């Protein structure tokens, strides 16, 4: 079966750094995506990893280890607007096929 | 770039009626679009994969006769919920894939409430 695990909830304070972990067991692997979703809205794309290592994009970084079936999303200099759900998604098959989503991690940022 | 729109954003209908939701890729062509459903505090669940010019591929447990999908052009896919019932009330989201990194970009979603 396909399984993607991530913590249900996390809390942090403004200005801090938070790491959201994601582990996956899927039939195949052809890329891992992180999305941000605010309540009642559609997900917005944050990052994409297909090779091992760290991808940095401003305050957001994403890491992948394919051998461990593991990824994390790192958020630096947290802001209140970063309070949202963060979805880890894996594409198990070839390009053009659907993603499998984890249940999401709800991050609450307080002042 | 990579903007996906959905219409309507919100719809309330009576049980037994049909509702059509449109998904458009505004600044790129999308040979493949995906339809997801999300219940409160749940993750996105793939319903079907919509391919331009061919029949949609439905996920196990999704009734193809109830959720009609048409992908008539490279920029438009429609989902019609036929004979909607209260249990069909959900947040329906489409996504369209681009080339290159093959990233999926999501529409803003349609919140369907069936009374």
């Amino acid at each position: 079966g396909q399984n993607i695990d991530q913590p249900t909830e996390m809390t942090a304070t403004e200005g801090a750094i938070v790491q959201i972990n994601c582990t996956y067991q899927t039939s195949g692997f052809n890329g891992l995506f992180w999305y941000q979703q605010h309540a009642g809205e559609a997900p917005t794309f944050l990052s994409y990893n297909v090779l091992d290592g760290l991808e940095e994009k401003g305050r957001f970084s994403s890491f992948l280890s394919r051998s461990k079936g593991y990824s994390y999303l790192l958020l630096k200099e947290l802001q209140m607007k970063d309070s949202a759900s963060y979805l880890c998604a894996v594409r198990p098959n070839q390009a053009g096929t659907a993603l499998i989503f984890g249940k999401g991690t709800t991050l609450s940022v307080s002042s | 770039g990579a903007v996906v729109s959905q219409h309507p954003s919100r719809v309330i209908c009576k049980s037994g009626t049909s509702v059509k939701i449109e998904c458009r890729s505004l600044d790129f062509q999308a040979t493949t679009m995906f339809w997801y459903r999300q219940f409160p505090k749940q993750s996105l669940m793939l319903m079907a994969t919509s391919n331009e010019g061919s029949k949609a591929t439905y996920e196990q447990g999704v009734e193809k006769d109830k959720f009609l999908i048409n992908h008539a052009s490279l920029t438009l896919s429609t989902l019609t919920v036929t004979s909607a019932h209260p249990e069909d009330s959900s947040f329906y989201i489409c996504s369209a894939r681009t080339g290159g990194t093959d990233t999926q970009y999501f529409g803003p979603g349609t919140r369907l409430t069936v009374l």
Side-chain angles (χ1 to χ4, degrees):
Chain A
Q2 319 277 35
N3 195 45
I4 298 177
D5 289 316
Q6 46 182 136
T8 304
E9 294 179 337
M10 297 183 72
T11 58
T13 54
E14 269 188 305
I17 299 173
V18 69
Q19 178 175 311
I20 302 174
N21 296 323
C22 171
T23 57
Y24 62 90
Q25 300 94 37
T26 54
S27 55
F29 181 82
N30 193 18
L32 186 142
F33 299 78
W34 284 96
Y35 287 86
Q36 180 191 61
Q37 185 178 28
H38 285 100
E41 299 179 9
T44 55
F45 170 73
L46 290 178
S47 69
Y48 166 74
N49 295 72
V50 68
L51 299 177
D52 290 351
L54 188 68
E55 292 283 341
E56 296 187 80
K57 194 185 287 187
R59 294 191 299 117
F60 294 76
S61 302
S62 57
F63 171 82
L64 174 67
S65 169
R66 288 172 296 170
S67 62
K68 295 182 180 178
Y70 167 70
S71 172
Y72 68 71
L73 179 70
L74 192 72
L75 294 80
K76 304 176 185 176
E77 301 170 13
L78 280 174
Q79 303 173 10
M80 298 290 284
K81 67 178 182 179
D82 297 327
S83 294
S85 182
Y86 291 85
L87 307 176
C88 173
V90 172
R91 183 173 57 219
N93 298 313
Q94 70 274 16
T97 58
L99 306 181
I100 298 172
F101 284 85
K103 292 186 176 181
T105 299
T106 301
L107 173 66
S108 300
V109 180
S110 58
S111 57
Chain B
V3 178
V4 179
S5 71
Q6 261 183 262
H7 177 79
S9 58
R10 185 181 297 268
V11 59
I12 300 173
C13 68
K14 293 182 179 179
S15 184
T17 60
S18 295
V19 175
K20 179 187 281 189
I21 303 170
E22 293 186 349
C23 176
R24 294 182 185 273
S25 56
L26 297 185
D27 52 358
F28 65 100
Q29 293 183 331
T31 54
T32 305
M33 291 183 176
F34 303 92
W35 287 96
Y36 294 85
R37 182 166 52 182
Q38 186 178 35
F39 292 104
K41 298 191 177 182
Q42 298 292 316
S43 187
L44 282 76
M45 297 300 295
L46 179 68
M47 298 176 66
T49 301
S50 170
N51 296 297
E52 185 268 338
S54 64
K55 291 183 178 180
T57 304
Y58 290 82
E59 294 300 297
Q60 192 172 12
V62 178
E63 300 174 57
K64 61 180 181 181
D65 294 331
K66 179 171 181 65
F67 299 99
L68 302 179
I69 291 173
N70 184 281
H71 194 156
S73 77
L74 287 171
T75 59
L76 173 64
S77 175
T78 61
L79 168 68
T80 301
V81 183
T82 62
S83 186
H85 289 94
E87 57 265 31
D88 298 323
S89 298
S90 187
F91 193 47
Y92 291 86
I93 309 174
C94 72
S95 71
R97 63 174 283 261
T98 65
T101 59
D102 196 34
T103 300
Q104 287 187 30
Y105 291 90
F106 287 85
T110 297
R111 185 159 302 282
L112 171 64
T113 302
V114 184
L115 302 176

